[in-house]
Amino acid sequence: MSDGKHAFYRPRSGADLPRFAGIPTFMRLPHVDLPKATAEVDIGLIGVPWDGGTTNRPGARHGPRQMRDLSTMMRNVHHVTGTMPFNIASCADLGDTSVNPVDLLDTLARVGAFYKDLKAANIMPLTAGGDHLITLPVMRGIAEPGQPLGMVHFDAHTDTWDRYFGGHEYTHGTPFRRAIEEGLLDPKRVIQIGIRGALYTPDDKDWGLEQGIRVIEIEEYFDLGPEKVATEARRVIGDGPCYVSFDVDGLDPVYAPGTGTPEIGGYTTHDAQVMLRGLRGLDIVGGDVVEVSPPFDMSGSTALVGVTLMFEILCLMAERIEMRGRK
Ligand code: MN
Ligand code: MN
């Protein structure tokens, strides 16, 4: 493209270097470390290779590496909206955050510090997990003090449980309870889409509903369909800043078998794309796709699903920059 500002921050074309060749970065973007990226990068793609918050089947620590590999299939132009995210925004692979595979609290501190630095550098993050607990330190890094985020949350699970295993407060089942308690999330501007599966106790749902979270269980999802659900998401989020968090177990396990806590009866990949496209115009300040666990799907198809959803979110973030400028 002719736009010199973004010339360096472009995916390597598959018509230049074949897609199976080269060192895999997210979407074949250049890998740039944070200090250099400070002045130049609008959107950073980041991996958080960590699954120490997993309560059941592990493996999401391997997600970012396989998602980078499968992201070689991404191209420049969104085939429905025509959006060309790499023409609008300078994008780069900022690598993986530091993690400590044997210390949960230390990992939360390391990841949170990385995202604080990103925010100071005025870079919008698009993250590949990792299990869903990683969204908590991301939000700790990017939420403005006194201005809690809204969230469009795709998941089979609410992730608003309180304690596990004798009182432990941090697992991938608890991030949004903690985020609301910490004032990072405004529960009245949170919508959860695709919730299903058996509960631990009959009152499991009560806490989130009492906070004012809009919960769309899968039965309501199928009654409404993806377009109306997206309309409802826009209503709930309103004009304020919002985060998009996509747990691949919100999809039916037919489409995303490589995940730690699969629940049958979810939505299709195409319906997920339709819902994400329906979020155009929201003030999206960051997003993630989490819970891709390659050991449970060595074919890589779950990782391909994950990175394709990342591309959908990337287009939303680039459109937001085009409309409103850098955050
Ligand atoms: Mn989740
Ligand atoms: Mn889940």
Side-chain angles (χ1 to χ4, degrees), residues 132 155-157 159 247 249-250 261 291:
H132 220 155
D155 206 319
H157 315 99
D159 296 350
D247 181 332
D249 71 30
T261 319
E291 300 282 357

Side-chain angles (χ1 to χ4, degrees), residues 283-302:
D283 183 12
I284 295 168
V285 299
D288 60 41
V289 176
V290 299
E291 300 282 357
V292 171
S293 181
F296 292 102
D297 179 10
M298 296 307 285
S299 77
S301 71
T302 306

Side-chain angles (χ1 to χ4, degrees), residues 184-229:
L184 307 170
L185 269 182
D186 175 359
K188 295 188 172 53
R189 295 181 54 242
V190 171
I191 183 166
Q192 301 183 311
I193 302 167
I195 306 302
R196 61 190 185 276
L199 306 170
Y200 287 100
T201 61
D203 58 3
D204 273 0
K205 299 176 182 176
D206 294 352
W207 187 86
L209 295 172
E210 286 163 7
Q211 307 308 307
I213 295 175
R214 175 71 168 100
V215 180
I216 297 194
E217 295 190 21
I218 199 68
E219 287 71 25
E220 183 180 4
Y221 166 83
F222 281 115
D223 283 345
L224 292 174
E227 290 90 354
K228 284 184 182 162
V229 168

Side-chain angles (χ1 to χ4, degrees), residues 2-26:
S2 58
D3 186 348
K5 180 186 173 237
H6 303 303
F8 177 72
Y9 297 99
R10 290 194 161 279
R12 187 80 183 263
S13 170
D16 168 22
L17 181 71
R19 296 193 177 277
F20 52 83
I23 297 168
T25 58
F26 284 121

Side-chain angles (χ1 to χ4, degrees), residues 249-287:
D249 71 30
L251 298 161
D252 192 277
V254 165
Y255 302 95
T259 196
T261 319
E263 304 282 357
I264 69 164
Y267 27 78
T268 70
T269 44
H270 185 258
D271 284 354
Q273 290 173 299
V274 169
M275 284 190 280
L276 285 168
R277 291 165 199 164
L279 305 182
R280 297 177 84 187
L282 292 181
D283 183 12
I284 295 168
V285 299

